[in-house]
Amino acid sequence: MKLLVTGGAGYIGGVVAAQLLDAGHEVVVLDDLSTGHADSVPEGARLVRGTLREAAFDVLDGGNFDAVLHFAARSLVGESVEKPGLYWDSNLGESLALLDAMRRAGVDRIVFSSTAATYGEPESTPILETDPTRPTNPYGATKLAIDTALAEYARLHGIGGVSLRYFNVAGALLDGRRVQGERHTVETHLIPNVLKVALGERESVKVFGEDYPTPDGTCVRDYIHVVDLGAAHLLALDACEPGVHQIFNLGNGNGFSVREVIEVCREVTGHPIPAEPHPRRPGDPAVLVASSEKIRSQLGWKPERDLRAMVADAWEFARRAR
């Protein structure tokens, strides 16, 4: 198939673009490089630089594309609270431009990188696709709005869409030929920040709250290896049905606590990684874990790599990237 990958110069988009090439597909990446890196686009994919508003239709029109995989988005929760207008304009506005470009160009399949942040603070865990969606920040709200738009374009224009909702992605693609991991200008994810301590770039890692109602008192979160996540996108691509919008959660089923993550990082790196206790952050739920039973039963997906593999691959990438 000929596929357009928006945001393919980013962490997850770059890994999925590489996996698509390995599967024998033709890949074109559309990215404005505002947060991505041109060298994250895998060899064999063609990079078009531009926003979705500027370039999506020009790329898709007459290009005989079979489908789109949509990763382009702003994704910092704190920034979304500070600049909600930016997030509504960038995430929802650009996505609507992409959907309209698809409609006009006759491309009728899309896999969307959504988020489990659409659920907000859950009433119970693990979170199911049928649970209420009550996002607590503009980032999650914009992603939910895109899910709604996908459902409408499916109903009104026959587009087949799959939204994949997940929390934390970790690890790296290390296949001998390519090395692709997290390179964020502003790093908010736990594992890379813990590894910065092991690399000597920070003195300690901050632990926000040690009195949660969890087995060790720290927050429990969902983590998925980026390679497993990419495999889910490839399965979702085959599952797109014209006129139907489907939603699947991706989760490990149990979650890992902050202390567990830090301890595994210590084991993998051989560094003591001092942890510094801090008060809870406002709005941090004790447990956020998504159920992936629906995608397991319908598409046959299940995560194959454990927390240690995520940390080991992220550590290898971090050392190579220095």
Side-chain angles (χ1 to χ4, degrees):
M1 289 190 288
K2 186 175 182 181
L3 305 169
L4 177 65
V5 179
T6 72
Y11 170 43
I12 300 173
V15 170
V16 174
Q19 291 173 306
L20 292 168
L21 288 168
D22 287 343
H25 301 298
E26 181 182 352
V27 176
V28 176
V29 167
L30 176 56
D31 199 301
D32 65 5
L33 300 184
S34 59
T35 57
H37 307 271
D39 60 359
S40 292
V41 178
E43 184 178 352
R46 179 168 68 93
L47 171 62
V48 177
R49 183 170 182 176
T51 67
L52 303 184
R53 283 191 180 97
E54 294 169 343
F57 179 70
D58 289 340
V59 172
L60 290 172
D61 188 39
N64 297 315
F65 283 86
D66 295 289
V68 173
L69 293 98
H70 181 28
F71 297 93
R74 294 184 178 273
S75 59
L76 298 177
V77 170
E79 183 183 56
S80 79
V81 174
E82 295 173 2
K83 303 174 181 178
L86 175 65
Y87 272 65
W88 283 105
D89 181 63
S90 296
N91 290 359
L92 180 58
E94 294 280 335
S95 295
L96 290 175
L98 173 64
L99 287 171
D100 195 54
M102 289 176 59
R103 178 187 62 79
R104 293 162 60 199
V107 181
D108 62 1
R109 285 193 284 173
I110 181 171
V111 177
F112 172 51
S113 175
S114 189
T115 173
T118 54
Y119 296 108
E121 296 191 22
E123 297 176 353
S124 61
T125 56
I127 303 168
L128 303 175
E129 290 85 352
T130 53
D131 285 349
T133 47
R134 294 180 296 226
T136 58
N137 53 69
Y139 165 65
T142 60
K143 290 280 192 169
L144 179 59
I146 298 166
D147 284 341
T148 302
L150 283 170
E152 287 297 279
Y153 271 74
R155 182 175 67 88
L156 298 172
H157 302 299
I159 285 178
V162 174
S163 294
L164 298 178
R165 292 176 174 172
Y166 45 88
F167 282 114
N168 300 302
V169 185
L173 174 65
L174 307 168
D175 66 359
R177 295 174 296 137
R178 288 181 291 259
V179 179
Q180 172 74 10
E182 292 191 73
R183 285 190 292 163
H184 299 128
T185 303
V186 179
E187 187 55 75
T188 61
H189 295 165
L190 177 60
I191 289 176
N193 278 328
V194 175
L195 295 179
K196 287 179 184 292
V197 180
L199 288 169
E201 298 175 8
R202 296 185 178 183
E203 292 185 1
S204 64
V205 59
K206 295 179 180 179
V207 177
F208 295 98
E210 298 183 305
D211 59 349
Y212 284 95
T214 61
D216 64 19
T218 62
C219 289
V220 172
R221 295 291 183 265
D222 218 320
Y223 291 87
I224 301 175
H225 197 291
V226 66
V227 173
D228 288 334
L229 186 78
H233 283 78
L234 269 67
L235 290 171
L237 184 62
D238 291 335
C240 288
E241 300 179 25
V244 178
H245 176 235
Q246 304 175 76
I247 295 172
F248 295 102
N249 289 343
L250 303 178
N252 62 50
N254 298 308
F256 304 103
S257 73
V258 173
R259 286 180 193 248
E260 285 180 294
V261 171
I262 295 172
E263 186 55 40
V264 171
C265 290
R266 288 170 177 153
E267 294 171 3
V268 168
T269 65
H271 191 283
I273 305 180
E276 181 184 346
H278 284 258
R280 294 186 185 188
R281 290 179 298 194
D284 263 355
V287 180
L288 290 176
V289 178
S291 168
S292 57
E293 284 305 310
K294 180 181 176 182
I295 194 169
R296 287 175 192 250
S297 62
Q298 294 189 19
L299 304 187
W301 178 85
K302 64 178 181 179
E304 297 181 355
R305 295 157 183 83
D306 61 12
L307 179 60
R308 187 178 184 87
M310 296 181 218
V311 172
D313 289 350
W315 177 236
E316 178 64 22
F317 172 77
R319 289 189 295 173
R320 293 193 194 186
R322 295 192 73 181

